Amino acid sequence: MPSADPARGSATPRPGPAHGGAFHRFMADAARSGTLVVQPRMGFADPARMRAGLLATRGAAATTVGTLTLDSFTRVGDYAAAARAAAQGHPLNGYPLVSMPVATTTGLLDGVHGEDFPVQVRHGSARPGRIVEALIGAGLDATEGGPVSYCLPYGRTSLATSVRAWREACRTLAALRVSGVEPHLESFGGCMLGQLCPPSLLIALSVLEGMFFRQHGLRSVSLSYAQQTSAEQDEEAVHALRALAADHLPDTSWHVVVYAYMGVYPETRTGALALVADAARLAVRTGAARLIVKTAAEAARIPSVAENVTALETATNAARSVRRTAPPPSTGVEEEARALVEAVLGLHDDLGQALIRAFARGYLDVPFCLHPDNAGRTRSVISEQGRLEWSRTGSLPLGPTAAVHSSRRLTSSGLMYALQHVKTRYDAPAVSLARAS
Amino acid sequence: MTRMTGPIAVIAAPTVSRGKPFVYQRHQPPESPPRVVLSTIPSDAHTWNLLFLHLLLEEQGWEVTNLGACVPVDTLVTESAARPPDLIVVSTVNGHGAEEAPALARAVRAVPALVRVPLVIGGKLDTEGSVDPDAHPALTEAGFDAVLIGPNAVPRLLALLDSLSQRGHGRAYADAVR
Ligand code: B12
């Protein structure tokens, strides 16, 4: 099977392969040795705390890479509000990269970030220009996003604006290759709104964004997949993602990154850690190279450094207990994902234009997404078997049989029931345990 | 009090549009229903909370204008002032509410037509997971009538809706939120 080894194909088609690029190199080495790399979603406004968080991530009993998760003001481009809050010592939900003096960022990274511990910037901005400039300015070479996945879930910026901004951002990042640094970009397409999006659409979006990155000059990318409601369906999905990536990303170094569940999270510590452990098992069984964890504080607040370390180590321990396995019997996830990708590719040679047209026609349509550029004609349901299925396919190019057509009206309690499916399952044992003692 | 859900049953077409809010078409109700503007703070992208509250408010018989994610304060003020609603609900969970919402409340209260419109906020308002409604006095000082957080938040909102629709639109809201 075509390998997900990031080293493969990294002898780039352009003159002179890029030898630098801390994140790219680290992932290539880890994939070669088959070690699962684990990574937090961590960000604090206070630079000292941010540095302590990175040091603790590096020191965890796990193979780790570091993260600067940026705050919401920075994500929406309100750099003044981020600067004001930081200057007043107010807490934020992430590190305000753009508003901080470069020296503050290089200072907090000094002696922490390097070949043996690369740091990636995770944000959630449909207009990432300033963020990309700031991360390059701070000596970093890896980030995350995508024209669709950092647009639809992250605000009201139009898809067309996001496509333009992401094209520019990709080119800025890709320009690092001239100086011998191989920049790395991860698609958030395998997550979208975090929950209730059937796997085939997540796979298609991840692959299409990876292709968009490649079209605009990047040669080291990762494709994401967020754990959903059924372990078996998720395994099938990650294998499908790898198969599509192998076909659609030639001359590109790529790997798969699994996200621990991104929807409403268990409240109990036991439930939360069991869920991240299952995500780690999913990653190993499917040959994914990297896992982004969630912590026991997820349901309530921004996690502490210690809670992040516990999550990283819990995941690593769980990963040790399993090994890579063959894909489960197909239920058609790969075929559906291929149909979506091919329909989009048929719309325009320029992937950005193809994506815009696909959303306008409803070929791509994310269930429950309120963004004005999403058609809003699809709907999903969690089946009796706990699998995430289409209940309405709208204009998705999937053929008439893909959905169990449902005329059930959406109610607040019905929505809540679906949103809490995973949380309920993982919290239940912990709650009954507490009652018993 | 349960009324018909209205066509959100079929979550069709975009539920919000940029700038101009999309209002769900309702079957013509017997009397004109109370109206609520549902919003979030400018930096908050979360929408599952908005979708949930939208459905809940409609099920209670309210006509909902859902302004969607990352609502600029200007948009909220302009939309509300154009046709003052009977209630403004701000929902935010990203942890920036305590920081960003006071300015929102001051901007709403600065508009004469909106001085007396009941204005409530709820969700996850800071990054520490506070669930004590009294944790953020700055919010009420800035003009919010109620801060609805913690396990009782939704029941308190439902109680507020009941008393608002019983008392007639927008009257005696100060009593209603207490
Ligand atoms: C899904 C999710 C996302 C999705 C959102 C997609 C979308 N467009 O909606 C994605 C992955 C994109 C995302 C992004 C981010 N997220 Co998020 N997200 C979640 C998650 C996992 C579930 C939220 C959810 O679906 N809830 C379902 C709804 C129905 O419940 P709810 O929102 O809690 O609302 C309930 C109550 O709070 C209450 N309520 C809410 N508002 C109001 C208002 C009133 C008046 C009343 C009465 C009640 C009320 O009623 C609801 C029903 O009980 C939560 C953690 C969790 N809960 O497990 C984090 C969480 C909310 N996210 C968080 C953060 C910080 C972010 C980011 C900033 C990234 C980051 N730094 O980690 C970005 C947002 C960027 C931005 N500009 O804001 C934090 C907030 C931290 C805090 N408050 O301290 C959380 C808690 C995770 C965490 N522990 O770090 N997120």
Side-chain angles (χ1 to χ4, degrees), chain A residues 5 106 178 196 353 429:
Chain A
D5 176 356
T106 51
V178 176
L196 300 182
Q353 293 311 312

Side-chain angles (χ1 to χ4, degrees), chain A residues 69-70 72 75-76 93-94 153-154 188 191-195 262-265 294 297-303 416 419, chain B residues 43-49 52-53 70 89-95 120-124 126-129 148 153-154 157:
Chain A
T69 291
L70 307 191
S72 289
R75 290 163 183 250
V76 299
N93 58 17
Y154 282 107
F188 190 68
C191 179
M192 296 307 291
L193 302 193
Q195 54 206 340
M262 291 296 285
V264 174
Y265 217 72
K294 285 244 166 150
E298 173 64 17
R301 54 173 166 76
I302 298 293
M416 203 49 126
L419 287 174
Chain B
S43 77
D44 196 341
H46 293 90
T47 50
W48 294 103
N49 47 325
F52 168 77
L53 289 166
C70 295
V89 173
V90 177
S91 166
T92 171
V93 296
N94 74 354
V120 304
I121 185 168
K124 300 180 199 289
D126 58 31
T127 56
E128 274 101 61
L148 305 173
V154 172
L157 176 66

